[in-house]
Amino acid sequence: MTPMEPAQFPILSTILLSTLLALLVILFIPEHRTRLIKQVSLGFSAVGLMLCIALYFAYDTEKGGLQFVERVLWVKSLGIYYFNAVDGINLPMLVLTSVVLFTGVLTMWELEKRVKEYFALTFLLVAGVYGVFMSMDLFFIFVWYDVSLFPMYPLIAIWGGTRKEYGAMKLTLYLLAGSALILPGILYLWVLGGAGTFDLFELQRIGFTVEAQRIAFVLLYLGFGILAGVWPFHTWSPVGHVAAPTAVSMIHAGVLMKLGAYGILRVGMTLCPEGLVYWADLMALLATIGIVYGAFVGLAQTDLKYVIGYSSVSHMGIVGLGLATMTVDGINGAVFQMFSHGIMTALLFSAVGYIYDRTHTKMIPELGGLSKTMPVASAFFIIAAFCGIGVPCLASFWAELLVFISAVKTYPVRGVFAVMGLVVSALFMLRVVQKTFYGEKNERWEHIPDVPLFLASPRIILVGILVFFGLFPRLILDVIQSAVVPFVNSL
């Protein structure tokens, strides 16, 4: 069993409560006080961000294991614990969530339509995300997972854009289907465990037969994999990205998809290591197809949001491939990729959101030469695009390097195809950059102002994080490795 370090101060519960308290406070503010609602949202998101940063620096990488443990028996007859903790895998995800929420609130500062409902639903969604990332009890993981899905439909259907109702419905149906697979997988393990507990690490200690692990792993992989955008269950993802408002796209692609990959790693791979070994070849194949497919389909897109949506399918394939290698470097790279892709995608959607708000189009042929009229806003997108194609000194470079080295060693043919997919991905991103920000200038956009300092601030934060971890990758890899090494040794 992983060593535990009891919490002296319930910092994880405080992070969770800060989000729920924000939701409660917003509900009591009169609807017309829109500026106050935004200020409250910014304040509470800043509290969550500071607490997550404090948690990050307080985490002891030398000790490793579970730290800041909060464990209280909740329902004795069913063995349900309120059990929160962090290790090197979920700690970066909590920091990612807090950064995306804080920058997402700033990005939506100009929102005027139904401000109260929008921020209330956003905090409910993020509470669910925080809950999944910090819970170590299967019951609470499932409950928080469903809490995070519920607000997506109204957030897209009310504040969304292109085909918003269709996108919201498709996303909801797919994700509920995933949830419907996760529940029987969890109950199956609870019954087979025979100890009457949902405690993740108690169940890991009990262990399961090889046959049971193979069955349970499929249910959990498919259930969480739908949310992770695993090919061929990814089709909800680009549609949802395009339909969603800017900050929801940031949270959706930046954080929510990571819940799926995290669930595969934390629940499926932890409880069913024999199932993982049995299905790893298929996992690697689906991930490789996702990388190549996402890159080629992205090459043909003319809508900026669709381009980002399909690039996310490709980049999440890299995460899946890293997990399927079952090696330290591969899983290190996968978790690092989850973090860096979350920041990078948030920056891409944030940049596109500003461009769309000013031009009212996100069609690439209608744009052009934007770097001459909006150099700062253009720079944000270009930096994120370079991060996506693995340019050195940006965070994704290290993540992708680790995954591809491990993939080529473990699955030589699929690893080579995956690298080729990254090359295609680089082609379509460079094509988008050339056609949208350079080339012939469209006179329609000559008088559009560049992004002001306040609205630039969330993008500057995201760029700073990508560059910081691109220059100092060990600062996050040491944290991740403290959990991945014992995990791989236990397989």
Side-chain angles (χ1 to χ4, degrees), residues 427-477:
L427 284 177
F428 80 70
M429 272 301 184
L430 291 175
R431 165 187 159 269
V432 168
V433 168
Q434 195 278 327
K435 287 185 175 295
T436 307
F437 302 104
Y438 297 97
E440 188 176 348
K441 186 170 67 175
N442 189 330
E443 293 181 358
R444 289 169 62 192
W445 321 127
E446 274 190 350
H447 303 295
I448 291 179
D450 204 351
V451 57
L453 181 61
F454 180 77
L455 292 179
S457 60
R459 286 94 176 177
I460 292 171
I461 293 170
L462 296 169
V463 168
I465 294 171
L466 291 176
V467 174
F468 180 77
F469 286 110
L471 294 175
F472 307 103
R474 295 266 22 133
L475 291 178
I476 189 167
L477 280 172

Side-chain angles (χ1 to χ4, degrees), residues 138 141 200 220 224 262-272:
L138 292 183
I141 289 176
L200 187 69
L220 295 169
F224 285 116
Y262 175 79
I264 292 172
L265 174 57
R266 177 65 81 194
V267 182
M269 293 171 62
T270 298
L271 294 181
C272 307

Side-chain angles (χ1 to χ4, degrees), residues 297-320:
V297 177
L299 195 61
Q301 299 305 310
T302 55
D303 183 311
L304 276 176
K305 276 197 161 186
Y306 267 116
V307 169
I308 304 170
Y310 280 104
S311 78
S312 288
V313 173
S314 186
H315 283 108
M316 288 305 292
I318 295 173
V319 173

